[in-house]
Amino acid sequence: MAKKTYQEKRDFSKTSEPEWKEHPSKGEFPKFVVQKHAARTLHYDFRLEINGVLKSWVIPKGPTANPEEKRLAIHVEDHPLDYADFEGTIPKGEYGGGTVMIWDNGNFANIKKWKGREYTLEESYDEGTMEFFLNGKKLKGGYALIKTKQNWLFFKMKDKYASDHDDWDDDKSVETGRTMEEIANS
Ligand code: MN
């Protein structure tokens, strides 16, 4: 299902995005990626490795380290694990046409606990009450993704990594150091 949706949306003779490939689910420290994406409207794609796929959300305003700001997150189709390495430009007129930058990446750990019980990553995803510790180059510490009636909310949990200002360079790839413009022109 996930594979079908992902593949059907894209013409792989035109886009350089990776085709769907199955991966075994991994162990303790799954990966996450945030991709800044200048499609029709600029947004940030937040992806978490769960059971061998990248569960994906569009965060229109992007992440923030400020716990006071809850950001809208829209759940979209699963992406293959290889998508975490994709940086480049999807041709105009294709699905998601525009430049994609690897804005942040790293590993994460599930930290969901409730009333003394530890939840698995799958459980907290299914329930729509996720809490995880991000070990990224920009994003660090506890973050939450909570399902509401209509959508999801993404926000920083209060810990020593919380901050009322974001001190990262928004326009720099953590993989290649390139700006959106440099990626678009390459
Ligand atoms: Mn996108």
Side-chain angles (χ1 to χ4, degrees):
M1 186 60 197
K3 172 184 177 177
K4 195 165 174 269
T5 308
Y6 177 85
Q7 292 286 114
E8 278 178 359
K9 284 174 183 281
R10 293 167 176 82
D11 179 349
F12 293 97
S13 69
K14 294 187 176 137
T15 180
S16 57
E17 294 164 285
E19 288 207 51
W20 190 276
K21 201 173 127 202
E22 298 293 338
H23 288 271
S25 53
K26 282 220 308 249
E28 213 175 341
F29 295 107
K31 59 182 163 184
F32 84 94
V33 64
V34 183
Q35 282 154 322
K36 186 174 175 178
H37 187 184
R40 205 173 311 150
T41 51
L42 180 74
H43 61 267
Y44 297 73
D45 293 295
F46 181 76
R47 312 188 197 280
L48 290 175
E49 177 184 353
I50 302 178
N51 280 337
V53 304
L54 292 175
K55 293 289 173 191
S56 298
W57 290 261
V58 170
I59 303 178
K61 287 173 122 179
T64 173
N66 186 347
E68 304 301 319
E69 288 189 41
K70 309 232 180 323
R71 297 277 160 95
L72 172 69
I74 302 151
H75 204 317
V76 294
E77 82 273 16
D78 295 350
H79 282 49
L81 274 190
D82 302 301
Y83 208 91
D85 301 319
F86 178 71
E87 181 170 279
T89 299
I90 302 166
K92 218 178 156 187
E94 295 304 302
Y95 178 70
T99 296
V100 175
M101 167 203 277
I102 300 176
W103 185 88
D104 196 18
N105 60 15
N107 296 311
F108 75 97
N110 169 41
I111 55 169
K112 175 70 198 283
K113 256 190 203 173
W114 181 250
K115 295 186 173 171
R117 184 163 97 76
E118 292 187 19
Y119 283 64
T120 67
L121 190 55
E122 292 76 15
E123 279 176 329
S124 64
Y125 169 77
D126 289 342
E127 210 176 61
T129 56
M130 306 184 74
E131 295 175 11
F132 38 81
F133 189 98
L134 297 179
N135 183 23
K137 290 153 189 154
K138 290 174 182 166
L139 302 180
K140 289 183 192 299
Y143 279 82
L145 258 173
I146 306 295
K147 196 178 183 180
T148 65
K149 252 184 212 154
Q150 301 279 336
N151 275 299
W152 292 64
L153 291 173
F154 177 85
F155 57 92
K156 181 80 194 74
M157 293 162 71
K158 286 178 185 161
D159 60 19
K160 68 172 183 176
Y161 301 99
S163 169
D164 60 4
H165 66 281
D166 298 323
D167 55 5
W168 49 61
D169 185 341
D170 181 62
D171 197 32
K172 200 167 184 181
S173 164
V174 294
E175 279 300 315
T176 64
R178 296 181 296 175
T179 63
M180 291 295 276
E181 197 184 348
E182 285 167 342
I183 298 166
N185 292 334
S186 69

